[in-house]
Amino acid sequence: MRPIFGSMGGAGNEISGEAVMVDLGSRGTVFALLRGPKTGFGDLGGPAWMLFHVFADLLKGEIDPLPKVRLLIERRPYRVLQLDDIPMLVHFSDPNDPKSVVQVDPANLQATFGAEVVLRDVTIEVTEDPISRAVETKLPWLKTIQGQLDGSHLYTGGSFANELNAYDFYRGSK
């Protein structure tokens, strides 16, 4: 996270990162997105909200985002997430077709991936590891997509693929 206006601070922040992928072999891949569990506008459940919400007890009542982040970097905490805090999970029926995206219920992975697939834990951890580019390797069309996953340049909410865009999979400088 860094201030939008560099050393001037103040106006906002930017989060860099990418969705987490779990390769389930022949069953496909599940992606934990950089957004909350529900569709719609707003960043409730996004990366900054997630950090500040999950680690609220460690932030000493700090209000400003940058001191919060500094505290998290110092402590490098990790936590197992509650079911309601798990970011949105998605899967592509056809990884070559962005429109084939479907939302996955974290409490019922069996519905999408079969009876043997169960989610045991989802852990969030603050690290200084570099951001990988693995998502773009798995979904190469992310590099070129403009607008929503359904091909629209505008958010209409008309389909699940229209609810999502590349920003849900990767944030930061390319």
Side-chain angles (χ1 to χ4, degrees):
M1 180 181 289
R2 61 186 164 95
I4 295 287
F5 296 113
S7 64
M8 291 170 50
N13 57 65
E14 177 183 304
I15 297 288
S16 297
E18 78 169 358
V20 173
M21 298 185 309
V22 178
D23 189 340
L24 301 172
S26 63
R27 298 176 192 273
T29 303
V30 63
F31 298 86
L33 301 184
L34 299 174
R35 68 177 301 153
K38 295 182 173 49
T39 58
F41 285 115
D43 211 18
L44 186 62
W49 179 89
M50 175 72 68
L51 283 171
F52 300 155
H53 171 72
V54 171
F55 299 117
D57 61 311
L58 301 177
L59 299 175
K60 301 177 184 175
E62 185 60 58
I63 296 170
D64 295 324
L66 288 176
K68 285 181 178 183
V69 170
R70 286 185 191 110
L71 282 168
L72 292 175
I73 289 170
E74 282 174 18
R75 293 178 178 210
R76 296 185 195 212
Y78 67 92
R79 294 262 164 87
V80 174
L81 296 178
Q82 300 297 313
L83 191 60
D84 291 343
D85 291 331
I86 295 173
M88 182 179 290
L89 302 180
V90 300
H91 167 71
F92 291 89
S93 305
D94 175 358
N96 297 312
D97 180 6
K99 294 178 192 172
S100 74
V101 67
V102 294
Q103 188 167 3
V104 176
D105 179 355
N108 187 10
L109 266 64
Q110 301 91 337
T112 304
F113 299 107
E116 299 82 23
V117 180
V118 178
L119 182 65
R120 290 190 309 213
D121 289 322
V122 174
T123 304
I124 185 171
E125 181 178 6
V126 176
T127 74
E128 289 190 31
D129 294 346
I131 298 168
S132 73
R133 299 302 289 255
V135 170
E136 287 181 351
T137 302
K138 194 74 160 178
L139 304 172
W141 46 261
L142 272 177
K143 293 182 240 177
T144 59
I145 198 161
Q146 300 289 321
Q148 308 308 106
L149 296 190
D150 69 352
S152 174
H153 290 283
L154 299 173
Y155 168 83
T156 64
S159 70
F160 185 63
N162 183 261
E163 295 279 348
L164 305 176
N165 58 50
Y167 191 67
D168 294 312
F169 292 84
Y170 188 87
R171 296 184 190 188
S173 55
K174 293 200 175 209

